[in-house]
Amino acid sequence: MTGRPGRTGTTSRGGGQAGAGDLLELVRSGRAVTRGALQEATGLSRATVGQRLDRLFRAGWLREGAGGPVGSPLGGRPAVTLEFDDSHAVVLVADLDTRHARAAVLTLTGELLAEDSSTLVVEHGPEAVLGELGRRFADLLTKAGRPAAAVCGIGLAVPGPVDSETGRVVQPPIMPGWDGYDIRGRLSRAFTEHTGTPAVPVLVDNDANLMAYGEQRTGHPDCSALVLVKVSTGIGAGVVVDGSIYRGVDGGAGDIGHVRVGADALCRCGSYGCLAAVASGGAVAGRLAESGVPAASGSDVRDLLAAGHPQAAALAREAGRRVGDVLATVVTLLNPGVLVIAGDLAGTPFLTGVRELLYQRALPRSTARLDVVTSRLGERAALIGAGALVVEHLYAPARVEERLAAMGV
């Protein structure tokens, strides 16, 4: 919330007095969790704070918690604390990979209520894939014991660049048939078709972006610049700066898999020499298959690495060195505090290779305060990030005011 206190209270982002949405944000962030603290933070009168809190209570978005510490040395009743009530709604989330999808029901604070992980081939096209996701969402709600009417929004992670304004993928190299498709509209309809409930907001973003967002929110909340690199069938990066996803002008930021590295390998994007063509899980699987080792995808390589396969480990380390060479430039440019390695290849051999080249090529100043780590959330990172994105969108101050008005509260 911005603005200076005036005679009638602190201004909100819209330039007027702080509204119910601003108060909810203060409570959700923990910056002000009592009525008195809200008055102090906003400059609003006790009566006005009470009126706006009443709207949030009637919507079921706030609840009273335990009494807080006594504010006066003279004693008195403990101040009643206010809490965001995360039980009033749930979020549906899904993470699409090339041949697999993970879907879940989450609480508004990111707790997992139900989850499904199974085959879903992105090359089958958006109509079929999103229709199937709608069915899985309906099944998951039954499994979680929550009604479809409790769903406030849907978040979807996809393995391609996304224009955040439209939710449409833009020339995705590994999503044939998806370019420019109305993902939001189709998934919203699929949800309604399989649950019989009205449409809910759908947010779509790149999988690496949402993985980075999930990792930053849960594991590195104080990090002002975080980069996550996902190495699976392809290679992509997500960047979070000052708590927000950096997407570039049309969603193309972080697409490091298509940086040219001087090789002559043909990439799925149609160009030669892309990083993904020589260092992705798919590229490593191809080299293993050529030598007689059964492997067709990044997930097969992951399984081989887990089993301690020596050739897979050697190739993963080599792939890590290639990626580390490119990341030296990324780290020098962005100067992140945390670099997260995630995806099918995110194990010790690959991480060792990344570190070898990264620290060799990057300026010492760029890596002096850099932590190179593997994902804490693992395969659920994009789900957690998608859930956080939906909640922060729906409970942003301006959106709260719109939703309360629509509810007649």
Side-chain angles (χ1 to χ4, degrees):
M1 184 178 60
T2 59
R4 295 182 179 179
R7 290 184 302 171
T8 56
T10 296
T11 56
S12 70
R13 285 181 174 82
Q17 285 189 345
D22 296 290
L23 269 58
L24 183 64
E25 183 178 50
L26 287 168
V27 173
R28 288 186 62 233
S29 66
R31 286 179 286 161
V33 296
T34 65
R35 289 168 173 81
L38 289 170
Q39 287 177 244
E40 183 178 352
T42 62
L44 296 173
S45 69
R46 179 178 180 179
T48 302
V49 167
Q51 290 168 359
R52 292 178 184 175
L53 289 178
D54 181 60
R55 297 178 68 199
L56 297 171
F57 280 116
R58 283 187 285 142
W61 297 355
L62 275 188
R63 64 188 173 201
E64 292 186 343
V70 176
S72 168
L74 299 177
R77 291 186 303 172
V80 175
T81 60
L82 304 170
E83 300 174 349
F84 179 60
D85 189 346
D86 71 336
S87 66
H88 71 271
V90 294
V91 177
L92 295 174
V93 291
D95 178 18
L96 289 182
D97 208 336
T98 52
R99 304 189 63 81
H100 180 269
R102 186 177 295 270
V105 182
L106 302 179
T107 68
L108 298 181
T109 51
E111 179 186 350
L112 187 73
L113 299 179
E115 183 179 23
D116 173 79
S117 178
S118 53
T119 299
L120 191 59
V121 181
V122 75
E123 290 186 353
H124 289 172
E127 186 72 22
V129 169
L130 298 174
E132 172 61 15
L133 269 184
R135 185 194 66 77
R136 294 186 187 183
F137 281 151
D139 290 345
L140 282 169
L141 286 168
T142 299
K143 183 178 178 181
R146 299 302 297 267
V151 176
C152 64
I154 298 172
L156 177 65
V158 296
V162 176
D163 182 335
S164 62
E165 293 297 319
T166 65
R168 298 171 189 250
V169 291
V170 182
Q171 299 177 0
I174 58 176
M175 299 178 70
W178 290 71
D179 185 24
Y181 186 84
D182 181 15
I183 296 175
R184 290 176 179 171
R186 176 65 183 110
L187 188 52
S188 181
R189 291 194 302 274
F191 170 72
T192 297
E193 289 165 6
H194 289 281
T195 64
T197 55
V200 296
V202 176
L203 298 184
V204 184
D205 211 327
N206 170 261
D207 54 359
N209 283 349
L210 292 177
M211 291 174 73
Y213 203 52
E215 294 286 345
Q216 191 272 335
R217 282 294 188 270
T218 59
H220 311 277
D222 298 324
C223 180
S224 60
L226 176 146
V227 175
L228 177 141
V229 179
K230 178 187 178 184
V231 186
S232 292
T233 300
I235 300 176
V239 180
V240 178
V241 177
D242 292 334
S244 298
I245 298 172
Y246 178 74
R247 299 182 176 90
V249 296
D250 64 0
D255 201 5
I256 65 168
H258 301 285
V259 172
R260 305 294 173 81
V261 293
D264 60 0
L266 176 63
C267 182
R268 294 184 67 173
C269 74
S271 298
Y272 286 87
C274 294
L275 180 64
V278 295
S280 65
V284 172
R287 293 187 63 183
L288 288 168
E290 288 173 1
S291 65
V293 178
S297 65
S299 59
D300 292 334
V301 177
R302 178 191 61 206
D303 294 341
L304 289 168
L305 291 171
H309 193 283
Q311 189 177 356
L315 289 173
R317 182 168 179 172
E318 179 183 338
R321 287 172 59 85
R322 286 185 175 272
V323 173
D325 196 9
V326 171
L327 288 177
T329 300
V330 173
V331 166
T332 301
L333 177 66
L334 296 178
N335 189 210
V338 177
L339 172 62
V340 183
I341 305 299
D344 292 330
L345 266 60
T348 299
F350 185 85
L351 191 62
T352 299
V354 167
R355 286 177 167 152
E356 285 175 358
L357 262 288
L358 173 61
Y359 288 106
Q360 177 184 327
R361 299 290 173 83
L363 291 172
R365 185 186 181 285
S366 300
T367 57
R369 299 173 60 188
L370 175 68
D371 289 331
V372 182
V373 300
T374 53
S375 168
R376 295 187 182 190
L377 298 175
E379 294 179 340
R380 291 174 176 160
L383 298 181
I384 301 301
L389 191 72
V390 170
V391 171
E392 290 175 25
H393 169 75
L394 291 178
Y395 294 92
R399 186 70 175 129
V400 164
E401 299 295 342
E402 294 173 4
R403 294 176 65 201
L404 289 175
M407 295 166 65
V409 174

